[in-house]
Amino acid sequence: MVTMTSKTGKIAAKTGNEAMAEAMRQIAPDVVAAYPITPATEIVQIFSQFVADGIVPTEYVAVESEHSAMSACIGASAAGARVMTGTSSQGFALMWEMLYIAAGLRLPIVVAGVNRALSSPINIHGDQSDTMGARDTGWIQLYSENSQEAYDSIIQAIKIAEKAKLPAMVTTDGFIISHCMEVVEMAQDQEVKDFIGEYKPDRYLLDIKKPYTLGAIDLQDYYFEHRWQLAEAMRNAGQVILDVAKDFKAKFGREYGFYEKYKMDDAEIAIVIIGSAAGTSKVVVDALRAKGVKAGLIKIRVFRPFPHKELAKDLAKVKALAVMDRSDMCAASFGPLYTEVTSALYTNLSGNLPKTVNCIYGLGGRDITLEHITGVYERLGKIAKGEAVGDVVEYINVRI
């Protein structure tokens, strides 16, 4: 049975792609520029049908590549429009150059992203290599466990981006969420419009009464200062995200933060994870708790800005910790999430730190099962009792 969180909400069966497209319809951005790519194609395909049917007044721009899509989004946003797009994997990588420009120009563009492996070899299934590769581009990053979170986060992302004056991306795991149908509680159209409000940029290129220069050359004299301002904006974005989440809960009843703590109050062993596999991991935690094992889980929702202080505080009492990465930096060291989490622990905690391991899993859409995650917790249990950590990095369910 589904528990409603809002008196005015309605229940619908939606895939992740459909949920994100519906959120975009309710937002009704001024401009959407996009190019199709599996498994994100449906998002903009469905939205383009809304445009064709006259349901939304959006200017839909069909471009010749994802690089052009983000270029058009940048131009439209600079002109004062509320702008969105959707993409995945190689298409997202083709936007790379323009991602930095969107962030550096402080344009609140929102991307509905579907996580998919990067070539080569060619693979169309879900891992988080694409958006993890863009972690340093200056974009706010929100990851979703399911279709409900994707829907809710798209709505919040518009408000977050416009308040923080930074672009933002909301992601789902390819096929696992994007193409699987779930029950989603949707808000009324007017409620969404009231929540996000009318977009009134402080300045824009078509405002002839307040002309300004955008994207000028910036050498040794001011580049450093402007990059510091971008970094400071990302630091300040954390409070913006929490403020918007508070407003969202007050209006729609669903609560969000930087991350979700699942049975962490007395946890001795825990994992940190991002995305759809968190749901599978919660089932394992429940089973272990029934056997008296003090297992817990933290599901990261906000990867940028990374909540290092808060996370370290909530992991301080854990004896053994596994950080689960659905991507591999090929750095001959660790995965991206592990690097962030261990840096947070080392920087913010004194004394004995949790013993940590890094589990790389699910690359190219490889299954991660209850048994695999149970095995991770079993290893943590042994480490917590004094067994040596051994190899820090473990590749789960890989044939060697």
Side-chain angles (χ1 to χ4, degrees):
M1 182 177 178
V2 178
T3 302
M4 298 282 288
T5 60
S6 171
K7 294 180 180 179
T8 58
K10 60 179 181 179
I11 293 295
K14 297 289 181 184
T15 66
N17 282 349
E18 289 172 338
M20 294 175 98
E22 288 288 349
M24 290 176 64
R25 175 188 63 77
Q26 292 178 313
I27 292 165
D30 299 309
V31 175
V32 168
Y35 187 84
I37 182 169
T38 303
T41 297
E42 280 185 321
I43 298 173
V44 292
Q45 176 187 340
I46 294 168
F47 186 82
S48 69
Q49 192 64 54
F50 294 146
V51 176
D53 292 342
I55 296 172
V56 292
T58 304
E59 182 71 27
Y60 186 86
V61 185
V63 294
E64 70 276 13
S65 74
E66 289 86 357
H67 184 283
S68 298
M70 184 51 61
S71 298
C73 287
I74 288 169
S77 183
R82 177 175 271 165
V83 181
M84 302 181 73
T85 188
T87 192
S88 180
S89 185
Q90 302 301 128
F92 189 61
L94 191 55
M95 291 181 175
W96 229 253
E97 175 190 8
M98 308 314 293
L99 295 179
Y100 287 94
I101 294 172
L105 297 181
R106 307 290 298 278
L107 301 174
I109 301 162
V110 171
V111 166
V114 180
N115 288 125
R116 175 191 135 183
L118 290 167
S119 298
S120 117
I122 295 173
N123 182 290
I124 63 167
H125 291 280
D127 69 32
Q128 295 161 353
S129 302
D130 48 5
T131 53
M132 283 293 169
R135 63 191 176 275
D136 299 330
T137 56
W139 282 62
I140 293 168
Q141 292 194 356
L142 308 178
Y143 286 75
S144 308
E145 177 186 342
N146 50 46
S147 297
Q148 184 71 64
E149 288 193 7
Y151 171 79
D152 292 345
S153 292
I154 286 285
I155 294 169
Q156 292 178 68
I158 281 288
K159 197 167 183 176
I160 291 167
E162 291 171 2
K163 285 181 175 292
K165 294 182 174 61
L166 287 174
M169 63 185 76
V170 177
T171 81
T172 63
D173 287 341
F175 289 104
I176 300 167
I177 301 300
S178 66
H179 284 65
C180 289
M181 190 165 288
E182 300 179 75
V183 173
V184 177
E185 181 179 341
M186 296 180 59
Q188 297 294 325
D189 292 357
Q190 191 58 49
E191 288 181 319
V192 174
K193 295 186 188 307
D194 292 343
F195 177 77
I196 63 173
E198 183 182 351
Y199 180 43
K200 297 179 180 179
D202 293 336
R203 59 183 187 179
Y204 54 98
L205 290 178
L206 296 184
D207 185 358
I208 60 174
K209 294 181 179 179
K210 298 178 182 178
Y212 78 105
T213 300
L214 187 68
I217 192 168
D218 209 13
L219 303 179
Q220 300 96 324
D221 43 6
Y222 285 110
Y223 181 87
F224 200 166
E225 285 72 22
H226 289 143
R227 296 305 295 183
W228 175 85
Q229 289 175 353
L230 179 60
E232 188 71 0
M234 185 62 76
R235 283 187 284 269
N236 293 335
Q239 189 57 53
V240 174
I241 291 169
L242 294 179
D243 290 343
V244 171
K246 182 179 179 181
D247 293 343
F248 188 87
K249 181 184 177 183
K251 191 168 187 67
F252 302 110
R254 293 183 292 278
E255 185 171 6
Y256 290 96
F258 294 138
Y259 48 83
E260 177 189 351
K261 294 186 290 183
Y262 191 74
K263 302 191 176 179
M264 284 295 297
D265 288 346
D266 63 344
E268 295 180 352
I269 57 176
I271 68 172
V272 177
I273 197 164
I274 289 183
S276 59
T280 307
S281 302
K282 290 172 185 176
V283 176
V284 175
V285 170
D286 290 343
L288 292 173
R289 283 282 176 171
K291 297 177 182 179
V293 179
K294 293 182 178 179
L297 172 148
I298 285 183
K299 179 194 72 180
I300 301 293
R301 173 178 177 251
V302 179
F303 187 67
R304 285 290 183 270
F306 193 74
H308 64 98
K309 292 181 181 178
E310 297 85 354
L311 193 61
K313 182 179 179 181
D314 283 322
L315 292 172
K317 296 181 180 179
V318 172
K319 294 180 180 178
L321 175 70
V323 182
M324 309 286 288
D325 270 291
R326 201 164 200 151
S327 61
D328 187 354
M329 294 194 299
C330 297
S333 56
F334 315 109
L337 181 58
Y338 181 86
T339 302
E340 299 280 353
V341 171
T342 51
S343 295
L345 295 174
Y346 183 84
T347 303
N348 293 289
L349 299 181
S350 58
N352 293 326
L353 300 178
K355 294 180 179 179
T356 61
V357 295
N358 186 198
C359 298
I360 311 294
Y361 75 98
L363 301 187
R366 178 68 57 87
D367 283 344
I368 181 78
T369 66
L370 296 172
E371 290 73 23
H372 296 140
I373 297 169
T374 300
V376 172
Y377 277 107
E378 288 174 349
R379 182 186 178 194
L380 291 176
K382 294 176 182 178
I383 293 171
K385 292 177 180 178
E387 185 175 298
V389 170
D391 291 336
V392 172
V393 181
E394 179 183 3
Y395 284 75
I396 304 295
N397 192 26
V398 65
R399 297 187 297 273
I400 298 177

